[in-house]
Amino acid sequence: MTNIQQYGWNENWSSKWDERWKESENNKQLVPGRIVGDFGSKYRVMTDMGETWGELSGKLRHTFVASGDFPAIGDWVALSMQDGGEHGIIHGLLPRHSVISRKVAGNTQEEQIVASNVDTLFLVSALNDDFNVRRMERYLIMAWNSGANPVILLTKADLCSDADRKIAEMESAAPGVSVHAVSALQDNGREKLLPYIGSGQTVALTGSSGCGKSTMVNWLCGKNLQLTQDVREGDSRGRHTTTHRELFVMPDGGIIVDTPGMRELQLWEDEGGLDLAFSDISSYAAACRFSNCSHEREEGCAVLEAVRTGELEEKRLLNYRKTQRELLYQSTKEVKFKRKSAASSKVSSSRTRGYGWRKELDEY
């Protein structure tokens, strides 16, 4: 038997459950569970009766319009158990308190949920030749937009001869964000992470392929839960070790989510994450002569003045401009995609009215 409190269930989630399903006619048939494994059409779900396989009810699937509506690793769901608990049917989700998402790879304008209901997001970067401050700035935007607390982990500190310089460089690029250098191989730095991995707290790891996320999961959990692979010596790049998202309970009582490595991070939408990730630029911008200053060539631009005096790194400003343009372009694409999806959904709904199988979708 498993206690779902181990997986983060608390009074807050219980209250949300009562608000959503206490008065429901089907409440007695439904049990809460947390998605601990995402395998596409099926999910591994942890309930008080133990682990089970879950899949969406026809009615629930029919209500989803966008890919971001579907359950994701970390979600709390309502299930009706089948065949004595061998599998369950998912009938709904509790509202998420944080959502880590990105745009799917390629030209498709869809959101991909990396994980949900995460308290702390560990942004992982290796202290080898793959160390990249500009890339971390993009991850920070995703983290601030998610609602989770970002923390930067610099892994493989045992392989770096100038770790202090790189730590200082990363701290400069991430104002207000905690930066920790750790080495799983030497069992060094774990005590710094204890405040984030206490009982009931959920953390997720994200970063590029080969940065050491799976090794971190094994280290923090005290056993080999995830396969690991060596990185290539030539360019310090790694291959995808984790192929799907999974959630594990750590010895300290925290919950950890491992996610597949990212070859690229395409940002989805901005909920203020750009200004938070580049808070130093936002502070300088407040002193610009013009409120709509683009920080490119205007007179009285405090941001450009900070670059001129060396207070602000020019590469950081260039990355800010590039990312700002990307988010603006992405926002325009998203609006068009949502309009198209809404129109398509209306057409699909009108076509299904009156057909016999529609009644089946409305039944559990």
Side-chain angles (χ1 to χ4, degrees):
M1 296 292 288
T2 301
N3 189 326
I4 59 173
Q5 274 76 18
Q6 292 176 269
Y7 287 82
W9 186 259
N10 53 33
E11 291 183 3
N12 180 49
W13 289 115
S14 181
S15 176
K16 290 183 178 181
W17 177 273
D18 288 343
E19 290 175 12
R20 175 66 177 83
W21 281 294
K22 188 173 184 179
E23 303 302 326
S24 170
E25 296 178 1
N26 301 295
N27 182 46
K28 293 181 181 179
Q29 303 174 21
L30 300 177
V31 298
R34 193 171 197 186
I35 294 182
V36 298
D38 182 353
F39 297 86
S41 61
K42 287 193 175 183
Y43 307 89
R44 278 189 21 241
V45 187
M46 190 61 66
T47 72
D48 259 338
M49 292 178 282
E51 188 177 296
T52 187
W53 284 101
E55 55 186 317
L56 301 179
S57 70
K59 179 180 179 181
L60 182 62
R61 183 182 295 276
H62 187 69
T63 64
F64 293 151
V65 176
S67 58
D69 297 334
F70 284 79
I73 191 82
D75 270 327
W76 287 101
V77 297
L79 306 99
S80 58
M81 306 307 296
Q82 311 290 315
D83 299 328
E86 290 187 10
H87 69 277
I89 305 299
I90 299 172
H91 296 287
L93 288 72
L94 285 178
R96 298 159 171 161
H97 76 72
S98 66
V99 182
I100 302 164
S101 65
R102 65 169 182 167
K103 177 187 168 297
V104 297
N107 296 322
T108 305
Q109 296 301 314
E110 289 188 35
E111 179 184 19
Q112 180 185 44
I113 306 295
V114 177
S116 65
N117 300 320
V118 170
D119 300 305
T120 301
L121 179 58
F122 285 153
L123 306 174
V124 186
S125 177
L127 283 168
N128 55 19
D129 292 340
D130 195 40
F131 180 82
N132 190 315
V133 172
R134 303 285 84 86
R135 184 196 301 138
M136 183 57 70
E137 289 170 344
R138 295 177 63 82
Y139 278 100
L140 280 167
I141 295 171
M142 179 182 72
W144 285 123
N145 283 332
S146 73
N149 177 48
V151 173
I152 296 175
L153 297 189
L154 300 179
T155 62
K156 307 181 183 181
D158 53 290
L159 301 178
C160 184
S161 59
D162 58 346
D164 290 341
R165 179 185 65 81
K166 290 185 175 180
I167 292 170
E169 190 177 348
M170 192 64 78
E171 287 176 336
S172 177
V177 177
S178 297
V179 179
H180 303 293
V182 298
S183 171
L185 182 64
Q186 297 183 342
D187 193 24
N188 184 20
R190 193 178 188 278
E191 70 283 352
K192 303 173 186 175
L193 309 183
L194 293 179
Y196 311 111
I197 59 176
S199 180
Q201 297 184 71
T202 300
V203 300
L205 295 96
T206 190
S208 59
S209 301
C211 65
K213 296 188 306 301
S214 295
T215 299
M216 288 295 300
V217 170
N218 293 338
W219 181 48
L220 292 174
C221 290
K223 53 186 175 181
N224 291 326
L225 296 172
Q226 298 289 69
L227 294 174
T228 60
Q229 297 181 22
D230 292 332
V231 299
R232 297 193 296 261
E233 293 183 4
D235 57 6
S236 296
R237 299 301 298 274
R239 291 177 291 171
H240 292 286
T241 301
T242 304
T243 56
H244 54 268
R245 299 166 184 83
E246 287 196 82
L247 183 151
F248 306 97
V249 175
M250 294 178 283
D252 299 283
I255 303 106
I256 192 166
V257 180
D258 190 18
T259 64
M262 298 183 187
R263 293 297 187 196
E264 61 175 340
L265 171 59
Q266 296 191 46
L267 299 170
W268 178 237
E269 54 185 31
D270 186 31
E271 299 289 343
L274 179 68
D275 286 339
L276 288 169
F278 292 90
S279 59
D280 51 347
I281 293 180
S282 299
S283 297
Y284 288 124
C288 288
R289 181 181 299 176
F290 305 107
S291 60
N292 62 344
C293 185
S294 63
H295 320 308
E296 293 194 8
R297 57 179 64 88
E298 295 90 342
E299 288 187 16
C301 176
V303 175
L304 293 177
E305 178 63 16
V307 172
R308 189 189 68 79
T309 60
E311 296 178 54
L312 178 66
E313 186 183 9
E314 184 177 18
K315 288 182 180 179
R316 182 163 169 80
L317 175 59
L318 293 176
N319 198 35
Y320 170 81
R321 290 174 182 164
K322 177 184 175 182
T323 309
Q324 188 180 49
R325 289 193 297 268
E326 177 187 335
L327 287 168
L328 181 60
Y329 176 77
Q330 175 64 18
S331 178
T332 302
K333 287 284 189 179
E334 286 172 29
V335 170
K336 292 180 180 178
F337 174 75
K338 289 175 181 178
R339 287 174 179 170
K340 183 178 180 180
S341 296
S344 176
S345 177
K346 288 180 180 179
V347 171
S348 176
S349 178
S350 66
R351 287 176 178 170
T352 59
R353 290 193 186 100
Y355 285 82
W357 60 269
R358 175 64 181 256
K359 180 180 179 182
E360 182 182 343
L361 292 175
D362 293 331
E363 296 176 352
Y364 286 161

